Amino acid sequence: MSAERNLQTLLQHMQPEMQDGVFVFATLPDDEKIADTINPLLTFREREGTTLVLRRDDADSIGLSWQFASRLITLNVHSALDAVGFLAAVTARLADAGISVNAVSAFHHDHLFVPVEKADEALALLRDMSCRAGS
């Protein structure tokens, strides 16, 4: 399947899906090894250290300080990495509703980390947005 670039098609077919679990963001100094007992969903190296996105239970199990308890919503359309405006439209809609979002683009899909207490509302807004794009 080839990646989609058309904004209207992306919005219409995004099929937002809430993933199980609560995810958190943590950081480690650049020289600190990631514990073998955890399996981060995402790691990203910055000058200030390594960011980990992992399940809250995993962070708690090793005593790792964390921020931003979130739910993960995956947009199940295969979006092209160079698609223009898709995340802008999605995040603008959530911003209009007062919902913060940390977006991550992976090879096949875009993923949204939204606050736990706003996750159901975010999912409903995204589903409505997709339905309206199909009208």
Side-chain angles (χ1 to χ4, degrees):
M1 171 166 63
S2 63
E4 183 60 56
R5 287 180 180 80
N6 180 277
L7 179 58
Q8 191 67 26
T9 302
L10 288 165
L11 293 170
Q12 183 177 352
H13 297 288
M14 66 177 153
Q15 301 174 351
E17 176 185 11
M18 186 101 61
Q19 304 301 318
D20 291 334
V22 174
F23 293 86
V24 296
F25 288 67
T27 188
L28 296 174
D30 206 24
D31 60 347
E32 188 172 330
K33 186 179 181 304
I34 298 170
D36 291 334
T37 57
I38 62 169
N39 185 23
L41 179 65
L42 171 72
T43 60
F44 194 92
R45 297 196 188 283
E46 301 177 279
R47 280 188 300 263
E48 300 83 357
T50 300
T51 297
L52 306 176
V53 178
L54 67 163
R55 292 187 182 277
R56 180 173 57 192
D57 293 343
D58 288 344
D60 289 345
S61 74
I62 62 167
L64 186 61
S65 295
W66 53 264
Q67 295 183 11
F68 194 60
S70 57
R71 296 293 307 272
L72 171 57
I73 298 174
T74 297
L75 304 178
N76 285 305
V77 64
H78 185 181
S79 54
L81 291 167
D82 61 349
V84 176
F86 182 44
L87 280 179
V90 168
T91 58
R93 178 64 188 101
L94 295 177
D96 287 347
I99 300 173
S100 65
V101 60
N102 285 284
V104 175
S105 295
F107 190 86
H108 293 100
H109 306 290
D110 295 293
H111 307 273
L112 310 173
F113 293 92
V114 298
V116 168
E117 66 277 4
K118 297 280 192 166
D120 291 333
E121 180 184 357
L123 184 62
L125 287 169
L126 294 170
R127 286 180 174 162
D128 180 66
M129 186 179 189
S130 185
C131 286
R132 290 178 189 271
S135 301

